[in-house]
Amino acid sequence: MSLVRLTIKGISYSQTQNGAYALLLSEMEGERQLPIVIGAFEAQSIAIAIEKDIRPPRPLTHDLFKNFADRFSIIVKQVIIHKLVDGVFYSSLICERDKIEEIIDARTSDAIALALRFNAPIFTYKNILDKAGVHLKATDEQEDAYQMATPDIEHEAPEAAPTDNDNNLKHKSLSELNNALEEAVNNEDYEAAARIRDEISKRK
């Protein structure tokens, strides 16, 4: 089976499900996207890895894994989303240590968070993209992703409502948003930081 390389298109917060996010993966040589519903913690970790300006005062779980792997010379070479069964994506980390390759099972959200930290490519098989890939227009991506996404049911999403209302963010200036982002990171409120980062990105 042929592999298709994916890139991260973005992360959107669900307006209908508290604590749920849609991670959009896009094929690099095509127009299809693979939306996956993930939990808040994983979404925050992925957003922080994408946004280099957000630096947590203490390492998150995926940062700790990266530091641990670096200390013991373990490299994540690539991530493969290899199976889709009953609405659940299954992924593997292809790792290497001392020129010996190992395959480790992982949740897709965790695998992608680690791929970003190791600068590792993300792949899936063509048949999975044929089955679960969708065509989303730019205007559809914020909400339709949740209707089309296949849920990663292994995540544990908190039920707490967002601390920052999207409407409030829209009325803030860029300077105010940047200050709010810094404050959220200092307070280790990464869910709020992710939403603030998204609003800043929309204006660039």
Side-chain angles (χ1 to χ4, degrees):
M1 291 183 288
S2 60
L3 287 172
V4 178
R5 186 165 179 179
L6 303 171
T7 185
I8 295 175
K9 179 73 174 178
I11 303 173
S12 299
Y13 184 76
S14 173
Q15 305 299 320
T16 57
Q17 302 178 51
N18 287 339
Y21 290 77
L23 171 66
L24 292 175
L25 302 175
S26 178
E27 58 180 333
M28 293 190 69
E29 297 182 1
E31 298 180 354
R32 289 176 297 179
Q33 295 181 27
L34 197 63
I36 306 172
V37 173
I38 62 175
F41 173 78
E42 294 80 6
Q44 295 156 20
S45 183
I46 291 169
I48 286 170
I50 294 172
E51 181 56 67
K52 305 301 182 183
D53 292 337
I54 301 179
R55 298 189 179 279
R58 296 181 296 173
L60 301 180
T61 303
H62 298 109
D63 298 318
L64 175 62
F65 183 98
K66 175 66 163 60
N67 294 338
F68 181 90
D70 288 344
R71 183 65 60 91
F72 292 97
S73 302
I74 300 169
I75 301 171
V76 174
K77 296 176 63 179
Q78 62 183 17
V79 165
I80 299 177
I81 303 171
H82 63 85
K83 187 167 62 173
L84 174 61
V85 178
D86 295 330
V88 180
F89 290 100
Y90 292 79
S91 295
S92 295
L93 299 172
I94 312 302
C95 305
E96 184 178 274
R97 181 172 184 265
D98 295 333
K99 298 183 179 180
I100 299 175
E101 192 170 276
E102 298 284 351
I103 300 175
I104 300 175
D105 182 48
R107 296 188 307 170
T108 298
S109 51
D110 289 328
I112 292 171
L114 291 173
L116 286 167
R117 287 162 170 78
F118 284 90
N119 294 317
I122 303 166
F123 296 94
T124 191
Y125 289 108
K126 183 179 180 297
N127 65 320
I128 293 177
L129 199 56
D130 290 340
K131 181 177 180 181
V134 295
H135 291 269
L136 293 180
K137 298 178 182 178
T139 55
D140 294 334
E141 290 173 3
Q142 289 296 316
E143 188 58 35
D144 286 0
Y146 306 104
Q147 305 301 324
M148 297 178 173
T150 302
D152 182 350
I153 61 173
E154 295 181 72
H155 78 259
E156 297 179 1
E159 294 299 325
T163 56
D164 275 300
N165 188 292
D166 286 341
N167 290 329
N168 289 338
L169 293 180
K170 290 177 181 178
H171 290 93
K172 290 182 181 290
S173 67
L174 270 177
S175 176
E176 289 173 327
L177 287 173
N178 284 318
N179 289 336
L181 176 61
E182 183 178 353
E183 182 179 354
V185 171
N186 289 336
N187 292 334
E188 300 186 27
D189 187 354
Y190 301 118
E191 184 174 349
R195 292 196 301 276
I196 296 168
R197 179 198 62 83
D198 288 344
E199 182 62 28
I200 292 172
S201 297
K202 290 176 186 176
R203 303 190 191 186
K204 291 182 178 179

